[in-house]
């Protein structure tokens, strides 16, 4: 019989996303991350070559087969990140009250009484106006524009610090005209389609039309099932788009963005630079709530266990931060530098899983309130109605889990969006659909070679799998959602109750 730790890990409601990097790209390190509970791995296209990402992808797919558990792959597009160009030596130290210049065509920074810097975004000198803030290195260095000239802007330091090559530049007060998708982004999109990635995260989203443009390109590239079939069974399925909310403009436009995106990520790094830090926690809660209202997955990311990059244990504040995101029922929590470059990646994943286990123990009491299905797209469909019925039955009977056949993920997505506080074990014979379920709250996806012929055969399959994987014990009540024929989208038409072992 598997140990209790394995049981807890298998029944996780909140998913863990881990960023891959130099510290986690070899087989032993990646295997440890997966063994400790990672459901989705993130490829950061801001770093590394496509050849390096291809090697990581091949390793993920091989380990996925070996462990017998689907692992989703999220490709994170770089977006129009503005950076300082080359700064010679160890950098230039700026003092509070000192002036410096950002010049349109400057290739290499010039030190001096008034240092001159270059920038990867040449239009900064046209769009940053006097009084606008210029934040460098995640806001560690702060300045105000005091004068705009033809080919340069003069800035005055309000908070000093060291400026080195490639540090990020944020302009929270300026209306930036840079396109949301750069040439590098489009190349990454093509690579993601060709290599069958499961999700794409779009950086620095400001408006819904930017997400719409990416969706349109993916729809063009994903014809004929190239990208798999969508959750609703449409053959023109495309890679789901996760909009990263990291700019104040995106927060202001969240309703329209959620209408276009397949999910959102609360990217607190740049968000905490561009807006008042004191506003970030309440903004995070609002974004989770709005995503839930729109029935879209939400990932909470950035600096969740940041101290574990160097230390084997987190701070108490970090533990509370993770627990709060889980308590708010975020679909997933994400590790960035902790697993990409950190010394204790597996420990960070294990800590996140342990926090989830304890926090979720308070969430698994089925909610007494009826879920609000009226606002959900397709809420009046037979499948949605059956999902709601399964929710009520699971609540009333105290079911250990809900099992469903969800060939392309639609039934699993509906069950997940109803706010289940018990695990949903979703079966499918579509490998891509199974991987895309790895991001859904409470859903444990299971791949099988073919759909069972009869419902009774599916019932036996469910019982065998949940016992083998210790997802339920003999005598537990489970709720089974299925259809006839199994494997056909839209055929879900029944809810039954089983007692494991009988």
């Amino acid at each position: 019989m598997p140990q209790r730790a394995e049981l807890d890990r298998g029944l996780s409601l909140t998913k863990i996303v881990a960023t891959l990097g130099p510290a986690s790209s070899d087989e032993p390190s990646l295997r440890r991350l997966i063994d400790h509970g990672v459901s989705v791995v993130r490829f950061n296209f801001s770093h590394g070559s496509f050849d390096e990402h291809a090697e990581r992808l091949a390793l993920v797919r091989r380990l996925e087969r070996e462990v017998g558990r689907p692992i989703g792959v999220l490709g994170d597009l770089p977006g129009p990140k503005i950076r300082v160009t080359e700064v010679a030596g160890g950098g230039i130290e700026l003092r509070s009250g000192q002036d410096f210049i950002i010049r349109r065509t400057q290739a290499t920074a010039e030190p001096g009484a008034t240092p001159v810097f270059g920038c990867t975004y040449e239009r900064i000198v046209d769009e940053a106006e006097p009084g606008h803030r210029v934040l460098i290195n995640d806001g560690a260095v702060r300045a105000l524009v005091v004068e705009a000239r033809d080919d340069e802007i003069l800035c005055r330091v309000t908070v000093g610090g060291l400026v080195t090559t490639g540090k990020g530049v944020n302009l929270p007060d300026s209306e930036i005209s840079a396109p949301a998708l750069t040439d590098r982004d489009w190349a990454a999109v093509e690579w993601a389609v060709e290599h069958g990635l499961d999700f794409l995260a779009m950086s620095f989203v400001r408006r819904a039309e930017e997400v719409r443009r990416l969706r349109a390109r993916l729809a063009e590239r994903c014809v004929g099932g190239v990208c798999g079939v969508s959750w609703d069974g449409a053959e023109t399925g495309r890679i789901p788009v996760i909009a990263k909310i990291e700019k104040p403009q995106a927060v202001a436009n969240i309703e329209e963005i959620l209408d276009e995106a397949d999910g959102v990520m609360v990217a607190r790094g740049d968000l905490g630079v561009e807006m008042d830090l004191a506003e970030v926690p309440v903004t995070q809660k609002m974004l989770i709530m709005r995503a839930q209202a729109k029935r879209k997955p939400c990932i909470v990311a950035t600096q969740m266990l940041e101290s574990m990059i160097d230390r084997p244990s987190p701070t108490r504040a970090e533990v509370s931060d993770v627990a709060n995101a889980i308590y708010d029922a975020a679909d997933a929590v994400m590790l960035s530098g902790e697993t990409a470059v950190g010394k204790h990646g597996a420990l960070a994943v294990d800590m996140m899983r342990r926090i989830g286990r304890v926090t979720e123990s308070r969430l698994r009491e089925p909610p007494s309130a009826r879920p609000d299905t009226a606002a959900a797209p397709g809420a009046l469909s037979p499948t949605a109605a059956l999902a709601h019925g399964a929710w009520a039955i699971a609540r009333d009977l105290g079911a250990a889990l809900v099992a469903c056949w969800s060939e392309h993920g639609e039934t699993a997505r509906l069950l997940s969006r109803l706010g289940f506080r018990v695990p949903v074990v979703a079966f499918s014979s579509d490998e891509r659909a199974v991987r895309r379920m790895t991001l859904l709250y409470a859903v444990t996806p299971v791949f099988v070679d073919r759909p069972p012929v009869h419902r009774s055969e599916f019932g036996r399959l469910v019982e065998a799998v949940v016992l083998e994987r210790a997802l339920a014990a003999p005598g537990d009540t489970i709720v089974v959602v299925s259809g006839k024929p199994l494997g056909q989208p839209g055929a879900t038409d029944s809810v039954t109750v089983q007692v494991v072992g009988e």
Side-chain angles (χ1 to χ4, degrees), residues 55-69:
E55 292 176 5
R56 292 188 181 109
L57 180 61
L59 180 58
V60 170
R61 296 304 189 214
R62 179 163 64 82
L63 291 178
E64 175 186 57
R65 291 190 295 271
E66 291 179 8
V67 302
R69 182 163 66 86

Side-chain angles (χ1 to χ4, degrees), residues 320-338:
S320 294
D321 181 37
V322 175
N324 274 316
I326 293 171
Y327 207 84
D328 289 339
D331 292 76
V333 285
M334 193 177 94
L335 295 166
S336 300
E338 300 94 332

